[in-house]
Amino acid sequence: MTLPRLVIYRHDRGRRALVTLAGVIDPATAPQVRAALEQCLHDGITTIDVDLTTVDRCDSSGLRVFLDASRHAAGAHASLRLHHPSPQTARLLADAGSDGLLRRAHRERRLR
């Protein structure tokens, strides 16, 4: 049995969603991430928190998905924030000038 390269969990609380990603975000799995984030907006979610704690690796295709989703969210009067990225993912975001998507730890609130 082959394990999936990416697992996506979603937990909603009102108009807020916590999307937890586990595995690898690359060209093969980025469409799954895109679809999950677009579905949140389609469902009327206004705050999307993406937990990257268990993402092993994220490449430029994942970065593109997060940037597109952030723009779509802003257009729908919603927000998207990334939480707990690996050092590699944080570097990728910073190098692209997109580290504004990261939620600062001192302002972070838990979704319960």
Side-chain angles (χ1 to χ4, degrees), residues 3-10 18-26 29-30 32-33 36 50-58 66 83-84:
L3 294 176
R5 293 175 47 106
L6 182 70
V7 178
I8 302 172
Y9 299 99
R10 177 176 159 185
L18 173 62
V19 178
T20 302
L21 305 175
V24 175
I25 305 172
D26 62 12
T29 60
Q32 294 172 274
V33 177
V50 181
D51 184 353
L52 302 172
T53 302
T54 54
V55 170
D56 299 324
R57 189 178 77 250
C58 178
F66 293 136
H83 301 266
H84 312 293

Side-chain angles (χ1 to χ4, degrees), residues 25-93:
I25 305 172
D26 62 12
T29 60
Q32 294 172 274
V33 177
R34 181 180 304 279
L37 298 177
E38 287 176 359
Q39 187 63 49
C40 287
L41 294 173
H42 177 75
D43 293 345
I45 298 295
T46 58
T47 303
I48 305 168
D49 294 302
V50 181
D51 184 353
L52 302 172
T53 302
T54 54
V55 170
D56 299 324
R57 189 178 77 250
C58 178
D59 70 7
S60 62
S61 62
L63 173 64
R64 190 170 26 260
V65 167
F66 293 136
L67 293 175
D68 289 348
S70 178
R71 280 191 287 274
H72 291 153
H77 305 289
S79 65
L80 178 130
R81 289 286 181 246
L82 306 177
H83 301 266
H84 312 293
S86 69
Q88 176 269 332
T89 302
R91 234 181 350 272
L92 178 68
L93 290 161

